[in-house]
Amino acid sequence: MEQLIQHLKSYYPLSDEASKALSNCLEKKCFAKNDYLIKAGRICRYFYFMERGALRGFYNLNGKEITHWFGFENTFITSFHSYITEQPSVENIQFMEGSIMWAISKKDLTGLFDRYHELERLVRIIYENYYIRLEERYVNAQFKTAAELYSDLMEKSPHILERVPLGYVSSYLGMTQETLSRIRKLH
């Protein structure tokens, strides 16, 4: 839990009182490879921090899995649309490795916001960072070639290529495995 609190303080300073109150609401959860954090059709009621592990978010479209994001250590995880709207998730979140997560319910987190405005600011900053990454991914998908997307991935997130099966990587990049193989041979 100390790793989480220190990571949070890198976003925004937290008082000892707020840190303690947050710690009291966190629950440690362990997951095995291939477990699901959330399945499509279920409501996501928790906000998570990944201490260790790897997972992916994906949609099912006409019987095909479309991977749209990955999560690794020191990452905040939730099915954002479901968590915020309290509507059923349209995505699945599945572990690719055994993982350790810290969970806080939406109810508990909202209660902390009312008592500790610094926590509300902190989570706003986390949401802003998420939005920026989402917009960058959207823009890149619209304007970059497959080769450029792969080059960007190698430059900015080489750990993905080391830890994620290539089928998931090709789906994430929006290309077939054959196209990804051809591009990799050129690099």
Side-chain angles (χ1 to χ4, degrees):
M1 184 176 315
E2 185 61 32
Q3 178 182 342
L4 168 56
I5 299 301
Q6 290 310 310
H7 186 73
L8 291 172
K9 288 179 178 180
S10 74
Y11 283 90
Y12 190 83
L14 294 177
S15 67
D16 289 342
E17 186 181 344
S19 295
K20 185 176 181 181
L22 177 61
S23 295
N24 289 336
C25 293
L26 291 168
E27 180 183 350
K28 184 177 184 178
K29 296 186 176 237
C30 297
F31 296 90
K33 181 179 180 178
N34 296 323
D35 282 352
Y36 283 83
L37 184 66
I38 186 93
K39 287 187 176 184
R42 296 201 177 144
I43 297 172
C44 185
R45 300 185 192 282
Y46 289 86
F47 195 71
Y48 299 90
F49 174 79
M50 180 175 279
E51 180 176 308
R52 187 177 77 218
L55 51 69
R56 70 183 179 117
F58 70 95
Y59 298 101
N60 285 309
L61 181 64
N62 301 324
K64 187 176 177 185
E65 293 180 354
I66 309 296
T67 298
H68 67 104
W69 62 274
F70 300 109
F72 300 96
E73 290 82 6
N74 296 320
T75 305
F76 298 99
I77 308 288
T78 194
S79 178
F80 275 96
H81 187 270
S82 177
Y83 177 79
I84 292 167
T85 65
E86 299 181 351
Q87 297 296 310
S89 176
V90 294
E91 72 179 321
N92 299 283
I93 301 176
Q94 184 181 34
F95 292 92
M96 297 181 295
E97 298 175 2
S99 301
I100 298 173
M101 307 284 281
W102 290 95
I104 185 168
S105 71
K106 184 172 185 177
K107 179 183 175 190
D108 286 346
L109 188 57
T110 302
L112 290 174
F113 290 165
D114 293 338
R115 293 179 21 226
Y116 304 98
H117 294 289
E118 66 216 73
L119 288 172
E120 190 170 35
R121 288 184 193 105
L122 168 72
V123 173
R124 179 182 47 83
I125 291 167
I126 292 167
Y127 281 6
E128 288 170 352
N129 286 325
Y130 171 79
Y131 178 79
I132 289 166
R133 286 192 316 275
L134 185 66
E135 186 173 308
E136 287 171 351
R137 180 150 162 68
Y138 174 77
V139 169
N140 286 341
Q142 296 297 311
F143 300 109
K144 292 193 176 185
T145 66
E148 289 170 329
L149 291 171
Y150 179 75
S151 291
D152 282 355
L153 184 67
M154 282 183 49
E155 179 184 323
K156 296 175 182 170
S157 303
H159 63 282
I160 290 176
L161 296 168
E162 297 164 6
R163 294 175 70 181
V164 175
L166 290 179
Y168 296 162
V169 173
S170 64
S171 176
Y172 173 74
L173 294 174
M175 60 184 78
T176 65
Q177 279 191 261
E178 295 76 19
T179 299
L180 178 58
S181 293
R182 282 194 301 275
I183 291 169
R184 291 183 73 203
K185 286 178 185 173
L186 299 173
H187 279 81

